[in-house]
Amino acid sequence: MDKTELAKLEAYLRRTFANHNISVRARLKKTDSAEVYLADEFIGIIHVDDEDGDRSFNLTMAILDVDLED
């Protein structure tokens, strides 16, 4: 992913979740994925899917059981 694509993904996530604290950052030594942060907290990975010539993106976010506690 290049800087333009990272910026587009970041803008999309900010609009979709109505939160300007979301950032999409490049990963070291990886070009097929990016890290997603909410402020300074890592929340997930976006993977590129180029299969069959259609480019799409998959967001994977793990939620720990301790995060669900009130």
Side-chain angles (χ1 to χ4, degrees):
M1 287 189 246
D2 62 19
K3 288 183 179 186
T4 302
E5 200 162 49
L6 292 173
K8 286 181 181 180
L9 287 165
E10 183 176 278
Y12 172 79
L13 291 173
R14 286 178 174 185
R15 270 192 324 271
T16 301
F17 295 110
N19 191 325
H20 290 290
N21 291 319
I22 294 172
S23 63
V24 177
R25 304 175 190 174
R27 298 178 72 192
L28 295 177
K29 301 181 183 179
K30 299 280 186 177
T31 59
D32 64 344
S33 58
E35 297 178 343
V36 181
Y37 287 81
L38 181 57
D40 291 327
E41 183 177 352
F42 171 81
I43 60 169
I45 298 282
I46 295 178
H47 295 275
V48 176
D49 183 356
D50 279 333
E51 209 168 296
D52 300 327
D54 294 328
R55 192 165 178 88
S56 63
F57 304 90
N58 300 306
L59 173 61
T60 304
M61 181 176 157
I63 301 170
L64 304 175
D65 61 348
V66 295
D67 293 332
L68 299 177
E69 297 173 4
D70 289 343

